C-alpha cells in the first residue's frame, strides 16, 4: 500500500532546472494540496552528512542519517517555504549549487533511496499531494493518477539558473553552469538505482520556450480534464 486510498497524488518529475519546483508549488496551492520537494530531502542529507563529517561514500552511515535526520518543512503565514535541519533554518543553504551536487552524489545509493522512500510516502495526506522529483511517478507513487514529466534543454535550464544566481549577486559563469547541468543530468539519468526517466503514461511537457504562466496553464488545464477542481 503506497498511500491512503482517498489521497490523490500528482507526480511532477524531470531534470534540474526544468521548472518543477515553481510549477509544483503553484499547482499545489491551486488545488489546496500538500507539496513534497523530494530533492530537498536529498539536499538535506548532503548537508547533514557534511555537518556530521560523514563521507559521501560511506553508504551505511548515509542511510542511517537518511532514516533519522531531523528535518522539518514549514510554510510561514506569508506563504514562504522554510526548511529546518536539526532545528536550524537552512532554506538558502539547501538551494546552493554545492548542495545540489552533494545531493546528486548521495542520491545514487539504493540504501539511501530506500531509507528516504517511507519518509516521502508519508507526505501523501488528504486532500492530496503534488510530489516533485526524479522518481515520483516511477518508484515512490507509481499509482498516481496524473504523472507529468517536465523537461527543457540543458542550455535553457543553465540560463535560468544563471539569471537566478546573478539576481542574488553571485558570481557565476554560464558555460560552467551548462557543464554542471549536463554532468548532473548524466549522473541522475545513468545511475542504477531509480534513474531519472519519464514514468509510463507520463505527460511530457518541454518548457524550453514556455513561460511559467504558460506551463502552469498547460498543467492546470490537464488537471481540469482529469477531473481535478482548481481554484485561484
Ligand atoms: O530537484 P533537486 O535539484 O533539488 O534535486 C537534487 C538532487 O537530488 C538531484 O540531482 C538528484 C537527487 N534527487 C533524486 O535522486 N531523486 C529525487 N526524487 C529528487 C532529487
Amino acid at each position: 500500500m503506497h498511500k491512503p486510498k482517498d489521497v490523490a497524488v500528482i507526480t511532477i518529475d524531470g531534470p534540474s532546472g526544468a521548472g518543477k519546483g515553481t510549477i509544483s508549488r503553484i499547482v499545489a496551492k491551486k488545488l489546496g494540496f500538500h507539496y513534497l520537494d523530494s530533492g530537498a530531502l536529498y539536499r538535506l542529507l548532503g548537508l547533514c552528512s557534511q555537518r556530521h563529517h560523514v563521507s559521501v561514500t560511506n553508504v551505511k552511515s548515509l542511510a542511517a542519517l537518511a532514516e533519522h535526520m531531523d528535518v522539518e518543512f514549514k510554510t510561514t503565514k506569508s506563504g514562504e517555504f522554510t526548511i529546518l535541519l536539526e532545528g536550524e533554518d537552512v532554506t538558502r543553504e539547501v538551494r546552493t549549487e554545492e548542495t545540489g551536487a552533494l545531493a546528486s552524489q548521495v542520491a545514487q545509493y539504493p540504501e539511501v533511496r530506500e531509507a528516504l522512500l517511507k519518509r516521502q510516502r508519508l507526505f501523501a495526506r488528504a486532500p492530496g499531494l503534488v510530489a516533485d522529483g526524479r522518481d515520483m511517478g516511477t518508484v515512490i507513487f507509481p499509482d498516481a493518477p496524473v504523472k507529468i514529466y517536465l523537461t527543457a534543454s540543458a542550455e535553457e535550464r543553465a540560463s535560468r539558473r544563471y539569471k537566478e544566481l546573478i539576481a542574488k549577486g553571485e558570481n557565476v559563469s554560464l558555460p560552467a553552469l551548462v557543464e554542471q547541468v549536463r554532468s548532473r543530468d548524466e549522473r541522475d539519468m545513468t545511475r542504477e538505482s531509480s534513474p531519472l526517466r519519464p514514468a509510463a503514461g507520463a505527460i511530457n511537457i518541454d518548457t524550453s520556450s514556455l513561460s511559467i504562466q504558460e506551463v502552469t496553464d498547460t498543467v492546470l488545464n490537464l488537471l481540469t480534464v482529469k477531473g481535478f477542481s482548481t481554484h485561484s
Side-chain angles (χ1 to χ4, degrees):
M1 176 108 135
H2 297 121
K3 58 184 167 52
K5 273 207 158 27
D6 55 345
V7 178
V9 177
I10 293 156
T11 62
I12 305 190
D13 287 305
S16 60
K20 300 184 306 290
T22 308
I23 301 300
S24 299
R25 283 186 175 92
I26 297 174
V27 170
K29 201 163 171 208
K30 289 266 183 197
L31 293 167
F33 279 14
H34 298 283
Y35 167 58
L36 165 62
D37 176 359
S38 63
L41 283 171
Y42 290 93
R43 287 171 180 266
L44 283 162
L45 178 60
L47 278 184
C48 195
S49 66
Q50 266 193 336
R51 291 187 175 190
H52 292 275
H53 307 289
V54 168
S55 151
V56 288
T57 57
N58 183 345
V59 182
K60 219 172 149 197
S61 299
L62 285 175
L65 276 186
E67 196 170 343
H68 300 293
M69 67 179 172
D70 168 19
V71 303
E72 205 181 332
F73 294 85
K74 283 197 192 164
T75 308
T76 62
K77 281 198 183 122
S78 56
E80 272 177 53
F81 286 91
T82 313
I83 304 178
L84 304 181
L85 173 61
E86 296 168 342
E88 186 195 332
D89 185 343
V90 290
T91 316
R92 277 180 75 91
E93 213 179 334
V94 155
R95 299 254 48 101
T96 65
E97 292 308 299
E98 293 71 29
T99 311
L102 271 179
S104 175
Q105 287 177 62
V106 299
Q108 62 187 313
Y109 304 117
E111 295 85 344
V112 164
R113 306 197 71 85
E114 184 61 32
L116 288 180
L117 186 141
K118 226 198 278 165
R119 292 186 88 139
Q120 294 174 82
R121 287 189 180 154
L122 288 174
F123 281 78
R125 297 190 309 270
L129 176 73
V130 177
D132 143 11
R134 305 291 190 289
D135 60 346
M136 298 296 100
T138 51
V139 177
I140 310 296
F141 300 110
D143 304 334
V146 181
K147 299 180 183 181
I148 293 167
Y149 191 81
L150 283 191
T151 186
S153 68
E155 289 74 13
E156 174 59 26
R157 288 182 285 128
S159 146
R160 289 176 189 169
R161 190 68 186 136
Y162 178 77
K163 286 179 197 150
E164 247 175 66
L165 293 171
I166 292 292
K168 280 189 203 162
E170 291 189 32
N171 184 14
V172 279
S173 114
L174 184 57
L177 279 177
V178 174
E179 207 32 58
Q180 277 173 30
V181 163
R182 289 222 169 93
S183 73
R184 187 119 74 89
D185 282 358
E186 167 82 13
R187 194 157 47 213
D188 293 347
M189 289 172 171
T190 59
R191 68 177 175 226
E192 277 182 30
S193 182
S194 314
L196 168 64
R197 60 181 169 77
I203 295 140
N204 234 293
I205 304 173
D206 187 330
T207 71
S208 301
S209 58
L210 299 178
S211 66
I212 291 171
Q213 189 60 51
E214 286 169 325
V215 181
T216 306
D217 290 346
T218 307
V219 173
L220 291 177
N221 286 339
L222 182 85
L223 291 172
T224 308
V225 170
K226 295 267 183 187
F228 287 86
S229 78
T230 56
H231 42 85
S232 37

